[in-house]
Amino acid sequence: MHEPADTIRLLVSCPDQKGLVAAITEFVASRGGNILDLDQHTDPDERMFFTRVVIDLADLTVSTDAFAEQWEHVASRFQMTWSTHVASRHRRVAVLVSKMDHCLRELLWRWEAGELPCRIPVVISNHADLEPIVTRRQVAFEHLPITPETKPEQEQQIESLLEQHGVDLVVLARYMQILSPGFVERYANRIINIHHSFLPAFAGARPYHQAYQAGVKIIGATCHYVTATLDAGPIIEQAIARVDHRDTVGDMIRKGKDLERSALLTGVRLHLDDRIIVHQNRTIVFD
Amino acid sequence: MHEPADTIRLLVSCPDQKGLVAAITEFVASRGGNILDLDQHTDPDERMFFTRVVIDLADLTVSTDAFAEQWEHVASRFQMTWSTHVASRHRRVAVLVSKMDHCLRELLWRWEAGELPCRIPVVISNHADLEPIVTRRQVAFEHLPITPETKPEQEQQIESLLEQHGVDLVVLARYMQILSPGFVERYANRIINIHHSFLPAFAGARPYHQAYQAGVKIIGATCHYVTATLDAGPIIEQAIARVDHRDTVGDMIRKGKDLERSALLTGVRLHLDDRIIVHQNRTIVFD
Amino acid sequence: MHEPADTIRLLVSCPDQKGLVAAITEFVASRGGNILDLDQHTDPDERMFFTRVVIDLADLTVSTDAFAEQWEHVASRFQMTWSTHVASRHRRVAVLVSKMDHCLRELLWRWEAGELPCRIPVVISNHADLEPIVTRRQVAFEHLPITPETKPEQEQQIESLLEQHGVDLVVLARYMQILSPGFVERYANRIINIHHSFLPAFAGARPYHQAYQAGVKIIGATCHYVTATLDAGPIIEQAIARVDHRDTVGDMIRKGKDLERSALLTGVRLHLDDRIIVHQNRTIVFD
Amino acid sequence: MHEPADTIRLLVSCPDQKGLVAAITEFVASRGGNILDLDQHTDPDERMFFTRVVIDLADLTVSTDAFAEQWEHVASRFQMTWSTHVASRHRRVAVLVSKMDHCLRELLWRWEAGELPCRIPVVISNHADLEPIVTRRQVAFEHLPITPETKPEQEQQIESLLEQHGVDLVVLARYMQILSPGFVERYANRIINIHHSFLPAFAGARPYHQAYQAGVKIIGATCHYVTATLDAGPIIEQAIARVDHRDTVGDMIRKGKDLERSALLTGVRLHLDDRIIVHQNRTIVFD
């Protein structure tokens, strides 16, 4: 099977207008680039244009930095919001956890199996419980306990660690703490959370207990970017499973763990593959 | 294929206690009855027992009326809430609609195809739009318009029609009117509604618009019994479908219609097959 | 909601090479066209390129005929196999049936509801059973009985009817007859069949009986283009449902009917929306 | 939540006849037993009766051995095939693997998490690759290489190990070797295999390559008991996932691994929970 050595991925949002795709593809072709994948979406109501372009780096006649620099001319002409990312430059991911291990295990396992294209330099937790499964993989584990008094301070420590490790993406793998608005803003669209319900149903605490009380026949998990509004950031992925009267709250929690693992893994993968554009609290996911 | 001529279905709820299944099955066996199907559920938290028993009528040595009468002795001993229903005595179902046809069509189509074991003597609507698809099937169509002033009076007319047609079950097939608490109470657990969202998310009006705004990746429909609290009665069935950024509100409405048809059909079928027990705003569904 | 008045859809397959997307989009842009949707796929193993482009006709500076004619120059340069279709020019669909009504009903119902963008000038059957549900919709019903002796002759009559009605697409909605290789070739990739199994499992006759015997836990239905090899043409869509030990062959048939309706409807829709490219007995489906 | 301390599970198959459930439940009640769960199925075509009964051991007035012994009288009267199993007596499971780790990891992980009620005394492989992930969990790893000449001898070694470890259930977690008919017979309905396709489609080698060539839109995995006929034993569970033209064989293999893990885990769980009865190459699964 032919697999290209490396690619550059371009994500673009802008007001819809004629000639957009032609301008983009002409730009790439005139620099020797071969487009391997182009996905595009036009929102007819908002008259917005979104695209994801994957370009083979092999024959590109300019450096990837020059590519981005020259692209700026096209981008400003069409009022584009955009980003580029070279596939081989793996992002640095920090995972934040509390005591529950299932989401962390899923991420580490997939990562070890080569199914998650990133680096994981550090795992941070307010509890010490998960240290062994982290350190045995040669990943740094940072234990930063929280008390009501030390919460702001602890968050500063987290942010220092993220900077120190050059972290590009923060994954909350059942990290049961709320982050401050300032922190969230600095990592806008770069913090991914897993909520253990089919949002917006059962936001807040103990969602499986809420679901049990409501007598729903389907439970879910929701992977989303974190915003200042709790449990209301742009949804990336949702997974569901059927339940019935035989399922206790405990059964729902057990089934839900599998949903959480699956939805979080999918969400993180989509982010690492540069498949997500956020526009006005909704996601365009090119999958 | 061997198909039994007729059956009696027994539904029972009571506090859990020893010897329940033995008492029930001994009662049936001593009257010549053969149990074709027995489904049972014990709620370990509430210590409640629920069962559905299907008995072949062929060799029963007592009449079905005598069966029910004699059963009362067992039932009172164990503080049972119970009901029996002879399968061949098809229930009489009234369908209430407004202007939208998809749920009504689904019910009528399945009914014509012999897939819905009931009679449908009457369809009632506050609009005249759906009259042709009803009357061409030799079903009575009653047009009862509503104004804010005539609402209570119109509901009384509905109730008269239900009595007149000997209706056992009322199906709200996208009937966009709220019924009064008195009406709902008189038909407790005998009014089935379809709500066009994954309840409890997006209760109330225009749920697909709400879902679109929330950017969910999965939409749903919920079939439930009607209680005095709007959109909060015991859930019978929920159906879901994936959506993505390419789905407009219109697409969601179109996909949702299929979910509504499917969930409502399933819910009505389960009721007609005596597969549902309601306990404290939750359903036990023996499927 | 903004809905474009009309569009032209372009489907292209060709050997992968640099500058393809640029050449296509430049061609469109230089004729005033606005690309509303562009979906593209590159097969890295076969080094083949496939695309579907949807162009707003509103500002196109050339006629749609001139568009296609001028396009031929681009196409020959890149060795393209291609087709264009103007969305508003609804295809003419003939439905072939035997005795079973569920697939035909689904198609007619969706068509009446405006959910199937086509014309249905004629329904052809080797049995007379379904005539009433066809003619009451003002669609011609042609009854062409078959005996072993008259089979070739009957097929000729079908083909005459297709020509006479200017048919673009033939849908076999549980038409239980095998078509001759010559017929199939003349309508290559324009005959859609629904097979009542999860192909390639249970090809041939009585698939639900086969599935029951095999004790499978999931049954399916397969919508595919017809080729000279029975039940082996390019698969467009497959639908599945879970079954268990309580499902008799009769239950599987009943559940299967819903799958057949759903898979066939999806397949026909995808074809009418010009979303399918066939390449070497496999389909690329831009959905 | 109230959780019973321990239970006895009774599985019964016999020709259908009147009074069966009454006889069973009366037997239990007269020994002080409380039935916590009773699931029952009657096959109307074959006139066979199947049941699974779960009895609380707490108030049972006889020992579990005496219970089984006395039961034999009821069983012989009704020509029953039956088994009993005390839930707390965890079965001893041997896992056989080759080089692929995903199924083994899934089993070990769930087992460590307390989600798989069994003991795993030994993992046996014809390759040494997976030794580290086994031995670090304090589970014995036996490396028994195979050459064409030593195959019968190696199988004898396996059987010796199974006896030595008192193994009740053999799980083939992608063990790529065929077992001899004699071995299979001695462990009838006690060897569970995972096949990486939706059987009976794509039996044999390289099923994902076969699926890719066939252009299917859904792939699957099948968990089944092993019989002398390759890939044709009674199916316990099947799992599926959608694929499309963008999925390479490699993608299918990756997606398929998740299906294999899920279907195998479910199958093993159902067996350990005594939820499966095999009758004429089909399974009754009380889930």
Side-chain angles (χ1 to χ4, degrees), chain D residues 32-33 46 68 152 159 175 196 218 229 233 240 248:
Chain D
E46 305 206 11
E159 214 164 334
Y175 180 64
H196 43 320
I218 295 176
T229 312
I240 60 98
T248 61

Side-chain angles (χ1 to χ4, degrees), chain B residues 152-171:
Chain B
E153 188 186 330
Q154 189 254 16
E155 200 183 90
Q156 282 186 354
Q157 288 176 297
I158 293 177
E159 215 164 334
S160 297
L161 281 169
L162 299 183
E163 279 169 38
Q164 183 184 320
H165 286 282
V167 165
D168 301 295
L169 176 69
V170 178
V171 177

Side-chain angles (χ1 to χ4, degrees), chain D residues 20-31:
Chain D
L20 270 171
V21 183
I24 295 169
T25 56
E26 196 278 330
F27 178 89
V28 175
S30 66
R31 274 146 193 87

Side-chain angles (χ1 to χ4, degrees), chain C residues 236-250:
Chain C
I236 302 169
E237 167 72 359
Q238 300 190 292
I240 60 99
R242 294 191 81 87
V243 291
D244 67 20
H245 59 273
R246 291 172 296 191
D247 289 292
T248 61
V249 172

Side-chain angles (χ1 to χ4, degrees), chain D residues 4-277:
Chain D
D6 202 0
T7 62
I8 187 163
R9 297 168 193 151
L10 173 63
L11 289 178
V12 174
S13 320
C14 64
D16 193 25
Q17 50 210 293
K18 267 192 214 172
L20 270 171
V21 183
I24 295 169
T25 56
E26 196 278 330
F27 178 89
V28 175
S30 66
R31 274 146 193 87
N34 190 27
I35 291 178
L36 297 175
D37 201 12
L38 186 152
D39 225 329
Q40 173 261 345
H41 172 63
T42 307
D43 187 314
D45 293 322
E46 305 206 11
R47 295 172 172 274
M48 284 293 292
F49 170 88
F50 307 94
T51 196
R52 175 183 187 261
V53 187
V54 180
I55 303 146
D56 192 340
L57 281 183
D59 303 311
L60 207 64
T61 55
V62 297
S63 72
T64 56
D65 287 348
F67 182 94
E69 202 179 310
Q70 295 166 19
W71 173 255
E72 184 54 43
H73 297 286
V74 181
S76 62
R77 175 149 60 98
F78 291 103
Q79 299 166 265
M80 289 172 175
T81 305
W82 63 280
S83 66
T84 56
H85 182 237
V86 175
S88 62
R89 293 189 196 149
H90 283 188
R91 283 190 175 82
R92 300 174 70 82
V93 176
V95 185
L96 272 60
V97 295
S98 288
K99 290 184 165 187
M100 261 167 297
D101 65 347
H102 58 287
C103 288
L104 176 62
R105 280 183 189 271
E106 181 74 28
L107 294 171
L108 291 174
W109 190 2
R110 298 293 179 165
W111 177 61
E112 284 182 314
E115 294 184 16
L116 215 48
C118 66
R119 296 183 186 192
I120 302 184
V122 65
V123 172
I124 303 170
S125 180
N126 53 332
H127 294 282
D129 308 51
L130 304 182
E131 177 156 10
I133 65 172
V134 174
T135 50
R136 87 158 172 251
R137 273 133 174 144
Q138 323 302 339
V139 172
F141 181 88
E142 300 285 351
H143 179 203
L144 303 176
I146 300 177
T147 63
E149 297 75 37
T150 65
K151 191 161 165 49
E153 189 184 328
Q154 188 253 18
E155 200 183 89
Q156 283 186 355
Q157 289 176 296
I158 293 176
E159 214 164 334
S160 298
L161 282 169
L162 299 184
E163 278 167 39
Q164 182 184 320
H165 286 282
V167 165
D168 302 294
L169 175 69
V170 178
V171 177
L172 310 185
R174 297 298 307 273
Y175 180 64
M176 310 303 280
Q177 299 292 322
I178 295 169
L179 300 169
S180 73
F183 185 111
V184 168
E185 201 177 312
R186 281 187 291 283
Y187 282 85
N189 298 334
R190 294 194 294 144
I191 310 176
I192 292 181
N193 184 43
I194 181 71
H195 185 78
H196 43 320
S197 89
F198 187 75
L199 287 174
F202 316 126
R206 291 165 63 89
Y208 293 120
H209 290 77
Q210 292 182 54
Y212 181 85
Q213 285 307 324
V216 293
K217 298 300 184 187
I218 295 176
I219 57 169
T222 303
C223 179
H224 64 100
Y225 286 117
V226 175
T227 58
T229 312
L230 187 65
D231 295 336
I235 294 170
I236 302 169
E237 167 73 359
Q238 299 189 293
I240 60 98
R242 295 191 79 87
V243 290
D244 66 22
H245 59 273
R246 291 172 295 192
D247 289 294
T248 61
V249 173
D251 293 329
M252 288 188 178
I253 289 172
R254 185 175 55 75
K255 288 187 178 184
K257 279 180 176 177
D258 284 1
L259 299 178
E260 296 162 32
R261 289 166 49 186
S262 160
L264 180 60
L265 177 69
T266 300
V268 171
R269 252 189 203 147
L270 290 168
H271 183 98
L272 295 176
D273 287 348
D274 301 283
R275 293 183 177 277
I276 314 174
I277 296 176

